[in-house]
Structures are given as structure tokens and as C-alpha cells.
Amino acid sequence: MPESTLELSQELSRELPQELFREPPQEPSRDLTAANGPGLRTAVSRQQDPHGAAEELGQALRHAELGFVLFFCSAEYPLDILATALSETFARIPITGCTTAGEITPQGYERGCIVAIGFDRRYFSVAAKLIENLEGFDLPRAQHVTDHLLETCRRRALAPISGHSFALTLLDGLSSSEEQVLATLDAAFGSIPSFGGSAGDDNRLAHTHVYAEGCFHSRAAIMVMVNTRLPFEVFTTHHLRPCEEKLVVTRVDRERRRVLELNAVPAAEEYSRLVGLPIAQLDASVFARCPLAVRIGDTYYVRSIQRVNDDNSLDFYCAVENGIVLTAMQPAPMLEDLERVLGDLETHLGPPGLIIGCDCFLRRLELEALDQITPASELLGRARVIGFNTYGEQHHGMHINQTFTGVAIGTGREIEGR
């Protein structure tokens, strides 16, 4: 299938007064900064009717300088109807998003709703591109994508591209193409920091979607590039610590991300021995508490298990290779790690105007099992996190699991020396 492009509207591309390019307004209108930083609005709708939900978002986000909308929605909505409703509501405003395994709203963790972010064109120049046919994605196509995004942002840049831009990728979370797509895009983007998340479907593991050009798409991805004068920081964290025990992948089906044997034993049998539970009790909550990771240099990258199959093989969310060594991991206190990371971001940037967060759904399952959803939601709310629970996260071209990954956008001027 040919690529299609999510162009910014004519309204966004009109000539702006040059003074807006030199300095963001010193006193933006109060309604844009009441809950978030300069140039950012957030909204959530819990209406189950797609048209009512879209209109509620529109009423909260629309203003004369709205330039782009990013949303995350429950897969429980009738997506065809929701797509039409969003297109009608936002008309000429570019809008993109994806389905989730749970939403992060201003109130923290929620389910069954839509949360959205509106970007003011005076503070953010945003370009986005839809990528279809992920299986055939290669470096020439990646270069075409990045060239388009860079050229679009350069035409409307609020600041030099280098040092003032970041990229967000949303992918079909069940496409099994994340590693190839991300590594190829990262090579094409070079030094521009990137992050993202794989779309979910409320833990059904059946159909996940990204939204662009008025439609929800499967087996597709969306690349979004943001240029801004505001300070920002792309980050990732996890709360998992390595144990001594190692498992070697001795037989694998790479195409399906399926491990058939660990240590020359049927994979589920060896994993059940490791965690001390019978195979019948292996489920998502166990996988969340007892993950495996591959070590690259001094860093451990989690390779989360998706499911146990009838033949006692294990499906993974990330790519796995024959011969790799997987290290058993154990969780440290998640809230302590999250509070530390959010505190560090505030130290670097000052109080964040907004954090766009991609949070693995297995982390949420762990919090639910520990009855810590309420304090976690309060922490995310105080930090102004908006985002979604994912089927995998992305950081600088790496496909990773069981992390909290995102971008923190500050409220002040450019940090000196960035």
C-alpha cells in the first residue's frame, strides 16, 4: 500500500507575525495555562457516545490558535463512528492518536475514556505522517518519512530544529514490526530524541489501532515531530532489578516472537520453575511481577512475556533471538522509582507544564495487584502526566517493555546550554 501523509491544515501554515517566532508571548491567555504549561490544553471525556465524547473534547480544546490534537482512547468505542465524530469535530485541525490498554488522565489511571492534548501553534510546530505496510519498511522509506517531517517543521519552525525538536511514534501494538520500524526511523532521524508507545486494546490482545487522516488503521504507525522553544526532556525508567538466574533461549520462532525452549526445556516449563508456580497459573500478573531482560552493555532491557501457548511455548512482546541470555528480574518499589524520576525532571526543567507518558500496561497490572493505583494516580496527576498504557514502549529507537517512557515539557524559557 502507498504511504499517505497527515498534512497540517492551511490554517496552521498561514504566515504568523515574526515577533511570535522570536519569543513566546510573555502572558498567554489564562485559560491555556490554568492546568498546564504555556500553549497546552488537556481534556478528557468519559461519555460512551462517540459523538458526545468528540464534541466534549472539542469544546474543551478548541481556540483560535489550536494547531494540533493528540489523543488516546479506549478500544471499547465503536472506532468507525468515533473516527467520523473526531473528523467532524476538529475539521481543519490535524489530529492523531491511538487505542490504549488504559488511559492516563489529569486524574491518573482510568479506563473507557478518551484523553487529549491540544497544542497551541504559537508554542509548537507539529508535523505528522502515517506509515502503512510496516512489514516492508526499510531505510529509504524511513528517510522519506523523516525528510517530510523535517521539511514541514522547518517551514514553520519556532526554533532551530536541532536541540529544539523531539519525535513521538505510535505503532500498532500487535504488528510485530516495532524493532525494524524503530531502528530504521532512528537511523534516519539521527540526533533528534524520540520516544513512543505501542497501541493497546484494553488487554484483549486482538486488534490495536492508530488514528490518522480521519480513520483508524491497523498494522500501521504514526510519526509525530514537535518543534518548540520550550525546554523538554525525553526520558525512560523502570523499577526492575536483575537477579542471578539466567535463561538461554535455545529454540525460537523469530517471526512470531515465540520462544519454544529455554535452557533446552519447553519454555513455559522452565519459566514456571523459575517463578515457582505451575504453568496453569502463569498469567499477565505473573509476567508483570517476574519479567525477563536482556543485558546490553550495563543496561537491562525488559523482554515481557505476552502469553503461554498450548505447546508450552511463550510469546513475547519484543523480538527474541536464538542464543540470547535472559536475566530474571525482580521489582523494586515502583512508586519510589516513579517519584524519583518525576522529581529529577522537575529539578532539570522546573515544574513541568505537561508530561506525555507511555506507561506499560504490565506496570499498571502490578500496581493493581499491589492496591497502589490510587497513590500512583495521585502522583501522576500532580506531575501533570497525560498518556496511555501501552503494549510496548520506544526510546531512542529501542523497543522496550515494562517502562514508563515519555517527554516532559517545561514552562520556562530555553535552558541555557542545552
Side-chain angles (χ1 to χ4, degrees):
M1 297 172 65
E3 293 178 358
S4 55
T5 303
L6 181 61
E7 297 288 349
L8 298 183
S9 67
Q10 291 181 348
E11 177 72 9
L12 180 58
S13 63
R14 64 183 174 82
E15 185 73 12
L16 294 179
Q18 289 302 305
E19 62 266 25
L20 293 181
F21 288 85
R22 299 190 191 104
E23 193 73 30
Q26 295 300 303
E27 295 183 2
S29 58
R30 185 176 178 183
D31 61 349
L32 289 181
T33 57
N36 301 103
L40 294 161
R41 282 189 183 183
T42 60
V44 58
S45 178
R46 300 170 184 87
Q47 290 196 41
Q48 297 305 299
D49 171 62
H51 289 282
E55 183 55 33
E56 191 168 34
L57 294 178
Q59 290 175 2
L61 296 179
R62 280 192 300 253
H63 61 90
E65 300 297 339
L66 179 63
F68 190 83
V69 174
L70 175 69
F71 75 90
F72 310 108
C73 73
S74 168
E76 296 294 335
Y77 283 96
L79 297 183
D80 288 345
I81 300 174
L82 179 61
T84 299
L86 291 170
S87 296
E88 293 174 349
T89 297
F90 289 99
R92 295 179 297 166
I93 302 299
I95 177 171
T96 193
C98 69
T99 57
T100 77
E103 300 77 54
I104 305 175
T105 77
Q107 286 70 47
Y109 289 115
E110 295 196 49
R111 291 193 189 278
C113 64
I114 309 177
V115 62
I117 305 164
F119 293 83
D120 186 324
R121 74 179 87 241
R122 295 170 297 179
Y123 292 87
F124 300 94
S125 173
V126 186
K129 188 170 179 65
L130 173 67
I131 304 169
E132 298 182 286
N133 186 24
L134 297 184
E135 293 84 352
F137 197 73
D138 55 16
L139 188 57
R141 289 184 64 198
Q143 196 64 60
H144 179 70
V145 170
T146 55
D147 287 349
H148 166 79
L149 294 173
L150 288 167
E151 177 59 28
T152 303
C153 273
R154 284 194 184 102
R155 289 200 306 267
R156 302 151 186 160
L158 303 174
I161 296 296
S162 178
H164 300 265
S165 305
F166 62 86
L168 162 67
T169 309
L170 303 175
L171 293 105
D172 178 341
L174 299 176
S175 67
S176 298
S177 301
E178 292 95 331
E179 284 81 12
Q180 174 187 348
V181 172
L182 293 171
T184 308
L185 284 171
D186 190 63
F189 256 118
S191 62
I192 294 175
S194 62
F195 77 101
S198 297
D201 65 348
D202 296 287
N203 303 359
R204 293 195 299 260
L205 300 176
H207 301 287
T208 61
H209 297 82
V210 297
Y211 176 93
E213 300 181 341
C215 299
F216 282 94
H217 305 262
S218 60
R219 308 199 71 78
I222 299 166
M223 196 78 186
V224 181
M225 185 172 172
V226 180
N227 175 260
T228 180
R229 289 185 61 85
L230 294 173
F232 63 84
E233 183 171 334
V234 171
F235 67 91
T236 188
T237 186
H238 67 75
H239 64 300
L240 303 168
R241 305 294 179 260
C243 304
E244 292 296 323
E245 184 119 20
K246 311 290 184 184
L247 302 175
V248 180
V249 177
T250 50
R251 190 167 164 234
V252 67
D253 180 343
R254 292 179 56 196
E255 296 300 316
R256 293 190 287 178
R257 296 176 173 173
R258 179 167 295 177
V259 174
L260 305 173
E261 291 182 357
L262 291 167
N263 295 341
V265 173
E269 292 181 19
E270 186 67 353
Y271 180 78
S272 70
R273 180 198 62 77
L274 174 72
V275 301
L277 291 170
I279 293 175
Q281 292 183 23
L282 300 182
D283 59 16
S285 63
V286 175
F287 304 148
R289 298 193 308 272
C290 307
L292 305 172
V294 60
R295 180 177 176 177
I296 302 176
D298 294 327
T299 303
Y300 288 89
Y301 296 94
V302 176
R303 295 291 180 259
S304 294
I305 299 170
Q306 184 181 117
R307 61 166 66 91
V308 179
N309 300 304
D310 292 339
D311 62 356
N312 284 343
S313 62
L314 297 173
D315 285 355
F316 281 68
Y317 282 102
C318 280
V320 282
E321 300 286 343
N322 207 46
I324 65 170
V325 177
L326 296 172
T327 299
M329 306 289 282
Q330 60 183 354
M334 190 189 305
L335 293 184
E336 290 182 14
D337 177 79
L338 185 58
E339 191 162 17
R340 175 189 60 78
V341 169
L342 295 174
D344 288 347
L345 290 170
E346 184 165 348
T347 298
H348 300 161
L349 298 174
L354 183 73
I355 295 176
I356 304 174
C358 302
D359 189 41
C360 183
F361 87 106
L362 292 171
R363 289 168 55 91
R364 179 168 178 159
L365 289 180
E366 182 180 336
L367 289 169
E368 290 172 347
L370 296 173
D371 196 24
Q372 293 181 342
I373 284 291
T374 297
S377 291
E378 291 171 353
L379 181 57
L380 294 173
R382 289 195 300 272
R384 296 177 175 173
V385 176
I386 298 295
F388 71 111
N389 294 116
T390 75
Y391 282 173
E393 305 78 60
Q394 303 127 36
H395 186 249
H396 295 311
M398 289 286 293
H399 183 212
I400 49 183
N401 294 139
Q402 283 183 251
T403 74
F404 175 62
T405 298
V407 62
I409 301 172
T411 58
R413 297 186 181 186
E414 174 85 11
I415 294 178
E416 198 170 320
R418 266 183 54 109

